[in-house]
Amino acid sequence: MEIAASLLGANLLNLEEDVRLAEKWGLRIIHFDQMDGHFVPNIAFGPAFVSAIRPITRCILDVHLMLSDPLRYLDAYASAGADNITVHAEIEGDLPAVLNAIHARGIRTCVSLNPETGAEVLRPLLPYCDMVLIMLVQPGFGGQKIREDCVEKVAVVREMIEKTGRRIPIEVDGGIKRDNAERILRAGADILVMGTGLYGEPDPETVIREMKEACDAHFDRTRR
Ligand code: DX5
Ligand code: ZN
């Protein structure tokens, strides 16, 4: 299990400190939400934001593009230093071509599903994906409440992936807190993206430790 720190929930007046905090907590993935005001009703933050952070961390930079036309910006995010790029299954256009274009830039690919999008949409895209991202809230804003139907979808996607025989990690994003993490992990998630569940908490280190313990206990139980 990995936790990715979502900078949308961080202190925008002191991002450097919040990136260093994530490293101190032992996290290895920094999640960047990029919004165009068209695919989602919010705007954030642009490739310059990613390139500003690239030199201060060795964490994986996980870029979540909530953009109607991601292809147009791939070069900018590639030169900004993205390690993973997520695009949404709901965009118009040729998704396999977009995913091939991401790979052609030496970047890992991921496809995300909005809450209303069914798991089946992923099936033909899996051959092009290094990872998948299941949204547990409507994309666009941090601090929302998790949708239980989306947690069920994680289990469906897990099964679909198992059948491919490939190891494709499932990332989940939105509304994840200490008290709901266990059932999300049980549904089959591998990477939990957390914004306010970390940066909005008084003691994020304890949150992370307790989540790791819950995860270890779960896998211990399933192994026995
Ligand atoms: C929402 C973003 C999330 C957001 C999660 O559109 O994709 O990454 O930062 O924030 P929390 O963890 O606060 O729900
Ligand atoms: Zn995100």
Side-chain angles (χ1 to χ4, degrees):
M1 185 263 278
E2 294 270 354
I3 297 170
S6 177
L7 293 185
L8 194 68
N11 176 4
L12 297 186
L13 292 178
N14 207 341
L15 282 172
E16 180 166 3
E17 187 187 324
D18 278 359
V19 169
R20 296 205 191 283
L21 271 176
E23 288 185 330
K24 182 172 149 273
W25 301 332
L27 305 188
R28 294 185 294 192
I29 307 173
I30 305 288
H31 181 87
F32 293 81
D33 290 307
Q34 304 292 308
M35 309 182 191
D36 63 358
H38 184 258
F39 183 77
V40 286
N42 196 4
I43 296 179
F45 288 105
F49 183 78
V50 179
S51 60
I53 289 170
R54 179 70 286 175
I56 67 161
T57 181
R58 292 170 70 182
C59 284
I60 292 167
L61 303 190
D62 179 39
V63 177
H64 178 189
L65 297 183
M66 288 162 269
L67 314 178
S68 297
D69 187 5
L71 202 49
R72 191 168 167 196
Y73 299 97
L74 287 189
D75 281 327
Y77 286 104
S79 27
D83 296 300
N84 302 340
I85 290 187
T86 298
V87 294
H88 269 263
E90 300 80 11
I91 59 167
E92 280 168 25
D94 184 349
L95 265 168
V98 174
L99 295 165
N100 284 334
I102 296 171
H103 272 154
R105 287 159 176 81
I107 297 169
R108 284 188 292 269
T109 56
C110 176
V111 170
S112 178
L113 299 184
N114 280 348
E116 301 73 38
T117 307
E120 273 309 313
V121 171
L122 270 182
R123 200 184 292 275
L125 298 170
L126 284 180
Y128 303 90
C129 292
D130 299 311
M131 183 164 86
V132 299
L133 169 60
I134 311 294
M135 288 306 301
L136 304 180
V137 301
Q138 245 351 303
F141 298 91
Q144 304 176 68
K145 217 172 153 294
I146 195 174
R147 281 181 49 165
E148 293 302 329
D149 57 328
C150 299
V151 180
E152 285 162 27
K153 186 161 53 180
V154 173
V156 176
V157 171
R158 177 88 273 163
E159 219 182 299
M160 191 187 288
I161 290 174
E162 296 296 316
K163 286 193 183 131
T164 69
R166 286 176 59 213
R167 285 208 56 226
I168 303 175
I170 300 180
E171 186 174 50
V172 283
D173 188 4
I176 300 162
K177 304 276 186 267
R178 161 68 192 96
D179 62 357
N180 60 22
E182 206 172 333
R183 63 178 190 278
I184 301 168
L185 286 167
R186 238 185 291 128
D190 303 291
I191 302 167
L192 311 183
V193 176
M194 297 176 72
T196 50
L198 293 177
Y199 291 114
E201 288 291 323
D203 185 4
E205 243 166 335
T206 302
V207 170
I208 292 167
R209 185 172 36 78
E210 288 179 358
M211 285 172 62
K212 292 226 152 119
E213 283 166 6
C215 181
D216 289 347
H218 167 64
F219 283 108
D220 211 34
R221 276 197 303 277
T222 48
R223 229 176 279 131
R224 261 188 262 137

